[in-house]
Amino acid sequence: MRRRKRMMEDLDQDIREHIGMETQDNIERGMSPEEARYAAVRKFGNVTRVKEDTREAWSFVWLEQLLQDFGFALRMLARNPGFAVVVILMLALGIGANSAVFTFAEAALLRSWPAKSPESLAKIVATTPQGGTEWFSYPDYRDLSEQCQSLEGIVAWSRHQMTLRVGAESQFVLDDWVSPNYFTVLSVHAQLGRTLSETPDPTRELIVVISDALWHRVFNADPNLVGKPILLTGKSYTVIGIAPPRFRGLQREVPTDLWLPVSMESASELQDRAYHDFELLGRLRPGVTATEAKAEFETIGRRLAEAYPSTNKATTFTLVSESERLRDALFPTFMLMTAVGLVLLICCANVAGLVLARTEMRHREIAVRLALGAGRGRLVRLLLTESALLASVGAGLGLLLASWLLRLQPALLPPAPFEIGLDLRLDSSVLAFTLVAAALTVILFGLVPALPAANLNLIPALKPVQSGPGPARRFGMRNVLVLGEIALSVVLLTASGLLVRSLVYSRGLNAGFDTRKSLVFFDLSPGLAGYNAEASLRFFQQAAEKVGGLTGVRRASFARRVLLSDSEGGAKQRVSIPGVELPQGQPNVPIKFNAVGLDYFATLGTRLIEGRDFRAADGPSGARVVVISETMARRFWPGKNALGQQIVADGKDFQIIGVAEDAKIIHIHEAPEPYMYFPFAQSPINWGTLIVETRGDPRTMVAAIRREIGNVDQNVPVGVRTLNYLLQQAFWEDQTAAGFVGALGMMGMFMAATGLYGLISFLVNRRRHEIGIRMALGAERRDVLRLVLSEGLRLAGIGIVVGCCISLGVTRLMSGLLYGVRPRDPITFATSSAVVILIALVASYIPARRAMRVDPMVALRYE
Amino acid sequence: MSTKEQKERIELLQGTLDLLILRTLVRGPAHGHAIAKAIEFNSDEVLQVEQGSLYPALHRLIKRGWIGVEEGTSENNRRAKFYRLTAKGRRQLAVETSKWDKLAGAIAQILRPAEQEGEP
């Protein structure tokens, strides 16, 4: 740097000397001193240019110019902050959405197995007569790993659920039963302690490896945890190690909390060749190709099919290598990225429109610069610097937006008793992607308007008269784009409007119990603490009695199942009804059922229409009784009284003593169906749910209730759900669809508004002169306003008509998601159209106001 | 400075100025004005250097280390900068010269047959 400065200082003197010498020479040739100096300067050329070029030889000049351009761009943007803000928001939206979707695609599709050299891993799959499957029985796994030569090792894992108790708290955790070679084949090492060893432990001690997430979540990253026992579903396990951070097991969407060696389980299912519960992942031996391994797997499969025809008949094995998996993932990734890339493209088009509108205003400025000797290349660079500045701020904000979007993941997933969701993170590949996206953006929205500006024809542009309407072609394209945006936003708004109306309707549906009550549910599994069904009944009765006695608790009951949740997948019992003709002459019908404790109906607020509730007398020794649903009564005893009738379920007779209102069994949108309530005391089972109605906020009572349950038996695992959680789960689909489409609608609206604003601004700038003439000829401001607004409304009108037509088709496809509102609901269509018109008015009003302020004197002065 | 004189002069090809400067400095250090004059004089005034363009070229060469610069006094006793060829520059001159010869030879070869065709 210093050398350069010295050289540049000397240059001035050098040039002076040079010209001096040349002047001297010229004088010697006989010129007059004045003439001589003039000739010398002319011969030397442009001194400033020479200095510039020389400075360039010292090469930091590009940086200097960049800083200059940068400063200039900042000044230009600061002069028009509204423009800058809109453009930056637009780009942040486009780039942010792209980065978020890319992150998702990376985590969901592209990311390799969380293991060392994942490229040599291959998922083992089977084809059975029923179709392809990734699930294997443990005996099949053993045979495969023993017989197979082409793989270095195969790991097996199977997902289960346990309760972890720490202090008085217990919670659900997800564990994987894994083959002992799991960690060695994957080459995953414990961050603390050790992982499982391949040789089984002779002491047959119960051991467990826990995840980093669980270690932090539950054990506050206690460094002394290794070697200590933890309580899992009533048994004590020794923690032997903590898995490394970020290792979440082999299932992308649902992280594993604990790993247990499968060898500890002597469960009979491990011997059962028909029990397909294990997923297999193998590591290819070095030098073995996937094709060779596949051939070997086929052979082994055939051998097993012959040896065990009852379970393995017509079953073949093969594997999916990592490169095949990636290849399969590319197409969905591509589709995803194309869709969201289109959003970025529209953003760019809009921004280009805004920039174009602005360049139109700057024509004269650019022409003056060109006339004063600015190089066209330099000018393009100047405009590009401006674009790059906007794009980089946009990209920065976009990344913030993306990280915020990714943090929304839990809200987009259905509520679950354990942690689910992809491991989404903005890592270097996402940053690289964002950079590329931003660079493309600069090229797309920066260069397109910059090039014509640099090729400006000086003479007409310098003339003060504004050019008239430009070539129609460019308008055509932009008109179509803006029309498309308006139509799209109408479609999205209509769709989200319908979904919101449907959600409001669903929220108002009668669930068959009182959803305004303060209810809290405790899922209890006495079976896991060694209880049988009869002992469990006593446990539930005691728990309900103790909890019911707490101050702050209004009522407590219990049931085998909770409404609005798919516990047991809605299991049914076959029921025959003496004296009633069943459909299609069937001897019996499957009907969903529940087993409930005393006070169940009162606790939940389910109305009994006829008959009576269960009594303490309806116990194991009493007469068998049942309460049925309204729909069941109406279906089998139409027009008659169902009370006192008999049904036969599970080979036993039951007398109907009551009819309850219909309740939503699994899903809020299901049609009412027959349902039966048996007294828990007459058909007990060793798990169930304690249902508690509290007087105040149920959350404040949870700890006290748990303590009370613990007083009955503290070894019984407890899971807690609030009514709110239950409802969230029930409405998750509707809420997510409405929220998601609504967000898209907002985005579409923003884009349509920006697009329209850019187009109308462009038009207004082009027609300044014409507007000036109109005003000079006596047009009122009002007329100008009308002129511009009508332009915007014309576009909006066409867009809305097109959008409504598309909506008619789209909403018909959505009809499966809509409840209580027709897909052609006129109110929704009218509302979304009105919203779009409003937005169009605002978007055109801003440039219209500018048009009204055109001073005819200024616009016409240079005529 | 007549128009006729201007017409006979040829503008330098891009990049050849560096070569000419190096060649000129083989004869010893010279100041800027002297280099310009030497190029014009040695080419029988066919090659015209816009004298200003000499300076960016000189600075480029300094930066590459092909020439050095030192203070001195000109023939009419003025203080001036003298540019001198470095060892590196001398080697570069050889490279550039052979490159130029090849280029000139190649172009001549392309052009010569055309002349012969035109002769008969």
Side-chain angles (χ1 to χ4, degrees):
Chain A
M1 265 319 240
R2 209 187 296 138
R3 178 162 168 230
R4 163 181 171 247
K5 205 169 162 197
R6 209 187 59 229
M7 297 301 304
M8 288 310 296
E9 276 166 5
D10 288 354
L11 183 66
D12 278 342
Q13 203 201 333
D14 237 14
I15 291 174
R16 264 199 309 279
E17 288 300 320
H18 187 122
I19 292 174
M21 284 182 204
E22 185 67 23
T23 312
Q24 202 58 45
D25 283 5
N26 286 344
I27 291 173
E28 279 162 22
R29 281 182 203 137
M31 294 187 195
S32 73
E34 207 167 310
E35 212 182 340
R37 177 154 183 86
Y38 181 66
V41 169
R42 206 173 47 183
K43 184 152 192 196
F44 189 85
N46 184 337
V47 175
T48 319
R49 184 67 161 271
V50 166
K51 281 191 202 164
E52 287 249 308
D53 287 352
T54 311
R55 190 175 299 135
E56 206 154 349
W58 292 97
S59 98
F60 284 103
V61 77
W62 61 269
L63 189 69
E64 229 168 70
Q65 285 184 349
L66 192 72
L67 283 176
Q68 260 174 29
D69 289 353
F70 194 73
F72 180 76
L74 267 183
R75 283 199 301 280
M76 287 310 286
L77 291 177
R79 246 175 39 191
N80 203 342
F83 165 79
V85 167
V86 172
V87 167
I88 287 171
L89 279 184
M90 199 87 210
L91 292 174
L93 207 65
I95 295 176
N98 269 272
S99 299
V101 170
F102 176 79
T103 311
F104 170 78
E106 197 270 328
L109 297 161
L110 300 179
R111 196 178 296 163
S112 297
W113 298 104
K116 210 175 146 197
S117 28
E119 63 284 349
S120 65
L121 291 173
K123 188 90 202 279
I124 298 163
V125 295
T127 317
T128 67
Q130 287 82 42
T133 176
E134 298 186 9
W135 303 91
F136 293 80
S137 68
Y138 202 69
D140 277 351
Y141 160 67
R142 254 191 320 241
D143 289 339
L144 273 175
S145 19
E146 274 161 23
Q147 297 176 21
C148 155
Q149 299 300 316
S150 50
L151 298 188
E152 232 170 51
I154 306 176
V155 298
W157 75 97
S158 152
R159 173 55 58 82
H160 298 267
Q161 196 177 321
M162 293 176 117
T163 29
L164 168 66
R165 213 171 84 212
V166 178
E169 300 271 310
S170 49
Q171 57 180 300
F172 286 111
V173 286
L174 290 175
D175 63 300
D176 279 346
W177 288 7
V178 299
S179 53
N181 62 355
Y182 183 87
F183 289 97
T184 32
V185 171
L186 296 180
S187 196
V188 169
H189 306 287
Q191 58 170 312
L192 217 58
R194 63 174 178 95
T195 57
L196 307 174
S197 54
E198 292 209 38
T199 45
D201 192 3
T203 60
R204 299 200 61 78
E205 188 191 18
L206 296 176
I207 52 173
V208 62
V209 174
I210 72 171
S211 77
D212 182 69
L214 187 74
W215 187 45
H216 281 273
R217 200 171 69 223
V218 177
F219 300 103
N220 297 319
D222 174 10
N224 299 319
L225 185 69
V226 174
K228 286 197 181 144
I230 59 173
L231 217 53
L232 285 169
T233 19
K235 284 192 221 162
S236 174
Y237 288 71
T238 306
V239 176
I240 59 161
I242 288 141
R246 291 234 171 260
F247 181 71
R248 302 166 22 121
L250 296 176
Q251 214 164 332
R252 286 163 192 276
E253 325 74 54
V254 189
T256 306
D257 295 313
L258 323 149
W259 292 269
L260 310 168
V262 73
S263 50
M264 283 184 334
E265 311 289 336
S266 52
S268 59
E269 49 254 47
L270 294 190
Q271 315 302 328
D272 185 354
R273 212 172 272 276
Y275 185 77
H276 297 105
D277 199 29
F278 286 87
E279 287 187 72
L280 309 183
L281 185 71
R283 190 184 283 285
L284 287 167
R285 242 178 240 293
V288 176
T289 65
T291 328
E292 286 160 8
K294 277 181 196 172
E296 192 193 7
F297 267 73
E298 232 165 87
T299 322
I300 300 176
R302 222 174 296 126
R303 210 181 299 149
L304 291 180
E306 271 167 37
Y308 310 98
S310 62
T311 52
N312 287 40
K313 198 171 167 203
T315 297
T316 57
F317 300 142
T318 184
L319 35 87
V320 183
S321 69
E322 183 60 12
S323 58
E324 285 170 314
R325 191 191 66 76
L326 269 178
R327 203 190 51 210
D328 293 345
L330 276 183
F331 183 68
T333 310
F334 176 75
M335 293 303 291
L336 218 58
M337 292 319 296
T338 309
V340 72
L342 276 178
V343 173
L344 184 60
L345 209 63
I346 293 177
C347 285
C348 281
N350 269 349
V351 173
L354 290 176
V355 175
L356 211 56
R358 204 153 151 272
T359 324
E360 194 68 22
M361 274 201 288
R362 286 170 66 182
H363 262 177
R364 260 171 66 73
E365 174 210 325
I366 291 167
V368 169
R369 283 173 193 282
L370 281 173
L372 289 180
R376 281 171 202 269
R378 182 76 201 281
L379 205 62
V380 169
R381 209 165 67 184
L382 187 73
L383 294 174
L384 271 183
T385 311
E386 215 176 284
S387 307
L389 185 66
L390 288 170
S392 38
V393 178
L397 268 184
L399 273 181
L400 282 184
L401 178 75
S403 69
W404 179 76
L405 282 176
L406 296 180
R407 250 178 286 141
L408 279 185
Q409 187 189 209
L412 294 175
L413 292 169
F418 30 78
E419 205 180 308
I420 58 174
L422 292 163
D423 180 21
L424 298 176
R425 46 185 200 245
L426 292 171
D427 57 10
S428 53
S429 65
V430 176
L431 286 180
F433 173 84
T434 307
L435 270 178
V436 172
L440 279 178
T441 313
V442 173
I443 292 168
L444 277 174
F445 89 79
L447 213 52
V448 174
L451 283 180
N455 286 329
L456 200 63
N457 192 351
L458 277 188
I459 308 305
L462 269 181
K463 282 189 186 158
V465 178
Q466 298 284 323
S467 44
R473 184 172 40 85
R474 198 158 53 176
F475 278 113
M477 213 25 234
R478 297 191 59 193
N479 270 335
V480 169
L481 182 76
V482 172
L483 273 180
E485 283 169 10
I486 294 173
L488 183 74
S489 62
V490 171
V491 173
L492 289 171
L493 284 180
T494 309
S496 61
L498 287 175
L499 288 169
V500 167
R501 276 174 69 85
S502 162
L503 180 66
V504 169
Y505 167 83
S506 310
R507 279 291 198 175
L509 279 181
N510 181 7
F513 65 97
D514 194 345
T515 50
R516 287 157 307 175
K517 282 193 171 201
S518 311
L519 292 172
V520 56
F521 305 83
F522 295 85
D523 299 313
L524 304 173
S525 316
L528 292 175
Y531 282 74
N532 64 12
E534 284 68 33
S536 294
L537 169 64
R538 280 192 299 281
F539 170 81
F540 276 114
Q541 282 170 337
Q542 276 175 24
E545 198 179 313
K546 287 222 157 143
V547 170
L550 283 171
T551 44
V553 169
R554 195 170 302 229
R555 279 189 203 91
S557 182
F558 52 94
R560 176 169 173 152
R561 294 199 192 114
V562 177
L563 292 175
L564 275 185
S565 44
D566 66 345
S567 59
E568 285 185 85
K572 298 172 178 179
Q573 236 171 38
R574 301 211 148 258
V575 174
S576 57
I577 305 170
V580 172
E581 186 74 26
L582 294 176
Q584 287 129 29
Q586 299 271 341
N588 53 40
V589 280
I591 295 177
K592 289 181 187 157
F593 69 98
N594 202 349
V596 302
L598 296 181
D599 261 351
Y600 171 84
F601 298 102
T603 309
L604 273 177
T606 302
R607 278 182 310 117
L608 278 175
I609 293 166
E610 292 179 285
R612 63 167 178 90
D613 193 356
F614 298 122
R615 290 198 276 256
D618 302 322
S621 51
R624 297 184 181 280
V625 290
V626 63
V627 171
I628 63 170
S629 73
E630 210 180 333
T631 299
M632 180 159 171
R634 222 179 294 128
R635 179 157 316 165
F636 298 114
W637 297 276
K640 282 186 265 177
N641 194 349
L643 287 184
Q645 304 279 2
Q646 295 281 324
I647 62 169
V648 181
D650 203 14
K652 294 172 205 139
D653 285 343
F654 292 86
Q655 187 183 30
I656 298 170
I657 56 156
V659 177
E661 69 173 314
D662 283 320
K664 303 295 179 187
I665 304 161
I666 295 178
H667 200 269
I668 190 75
H669 295 307
E670 70 193 14
E673 60 177 307
Y675 199 54
M676 310 178 288
Y677 300 89
F678 297 108
F680 198 98
Q682 289 182 353
S683 36
I685 189 159
N686 59 8
W687 46 265
T689 301
L690 189 73
I691 304 166
V692 183
E693 184 191 358
T694 59
R695 289 180 201 276
D697 184 347
R699 280 169 304 180
T700 59
M701 293 297 300
V702 168
I705 296 170
R706 290 182 80 132
R707 238 186 339 269
E708 218 46 61
I709 295 170
N711 284 345
V712 180
D713 183 346
Q714 58 168 340
N715 290 318
V716 173
V718 184
V720 186
R721 288 184 281 173
T722 59
L723 177 64
N724 216 3
Y725 173 87
L726 214 66
L727 292 176
Q728 245 180 47
Q729 208 161 27
F731 292 107
W732 173 76
E733 246 171 56
D734 310 55
Q735 235 155 18
T736 311
F740 187 66
V741 180
L744 283 181
M746 288 295 197
M747 207 161 110
M749 218 162 67
F750 179 57
M751 287 206 272
T754 333
L756 191 62
Y757 169 79
L759 186 62
I760 300 289
S761 300
F762 183 74
L763 287 176
V764 166
N765 290 338
R766 285 229 146 176
R767 292 171 68 176
R768 265 175 104 78
H769 185 63
E770 179 206 324
I771 292 167
I773 293 180
R774 279 172 191 265
M775 289 182 83
L777 291 179
E780 299 269 329
R781 293 180 159 219
R782 208 163 6 116
D783 301 319
V784 175
L785 182 68
R786 200 179 307 135
L787 181 78
V788 178
L789 285 191
S790 68
E791 194 76 45
L793 285 183
R794 194 173 53 86
L795 276 169
I798 303 173
I800 287 171
V801 170
V802 174
C804 283
C805 291
I806 302 173
S807 299
L808 283 176
V810 170
T811 54
R812 215 178 46 206
L813 292 176
M814 286 174 33
S815 55
L817 289 171
L818 299 178
Y819 303 95
V821 56
R822 281 177 305 134
R824 301 183 164 201
D825 181 45
I827 297 175
T828 312
F829 273 76
T831 314
S832 61
S833 303
V835 169
V836 171
I837 287 182
L838 201 72
I839 292 291
L841 272 178
V842 174
S844 352
Y845 178 70
I846 302 168
R849 225 180 38 183
R850 215 168 28 231
M852 284 193 297
R853 277 200 244 108
V854 168
D855 183 344
M857 284 317 289
V858 174
L860 298 178
R861 185 164 296 153
Y862 299 102
E863 183 77 353
Chain B
M1 302 290 139
S2 70
T3 39
K4 188 186 160 218
E5 205 176 313
Q6 292 276 347
K7 265 184 199 162
E8 281 167 3
R9 292 183 160 193
I10 298 171
E11 281 199 29
L12 276 180
L13 281 171
Q14 189 83 34
T16 47
L17 184 56
D18 291 3
L19 177 63
L20 295 181
I21 292 171
L22 292 176
R23 182 69 189 86
T24 308
L25 291 179
V26 169
R27 265 167 280 160
H31 54 75
H33 186 243
I35 299 172
K37 270 172 73 177
I39 291 174
E40 272 178 49
F41 180 76
N42 289 328
S43 68
D44 296 335
E45 310 220 342
V46 173
L47 293 181
Q48 183 197 349
V49 182
E50 190 181 60
Q51 295 185 345
S53 67
L54 203 59
Y55 287 90
L58 283 169
H59 281 251
R60 247 187 335 262
L61 295 176
I62 293 171
K63 194 171 173 231
R64 288 184 193 148
W66 296 349
I67 63 176
V69 58
E70 56 203 29
E71 293 289 332
T73 13
S74 66
E75 48 271 40
N76 37 16
N77 270 335
R78 290 208 192 198
R79 211 165 57 84
K81 269 225 182 67
F82 278 77
Y83 301 93
R84 116 193 99 67
L85 208 56
T86 61
K88 205 172 160 193
R90 214 172 282 276
R91 277 199 299 279
Q92 192 58 33
L93 176 61
V95 173
E96 296 282 326
T97 309
S98 83
K99 251 199 227 164
W100 174 257
D101 284 345
K102 265 187 211 157
L103 180 68
I107 291 177
Q109 218 162 27
I110 294 168
L111 297 182
R112 206 172 297 125
E115 279 168 23
Q116 284 161 355
E117 278 162 33
E119 258 173 37

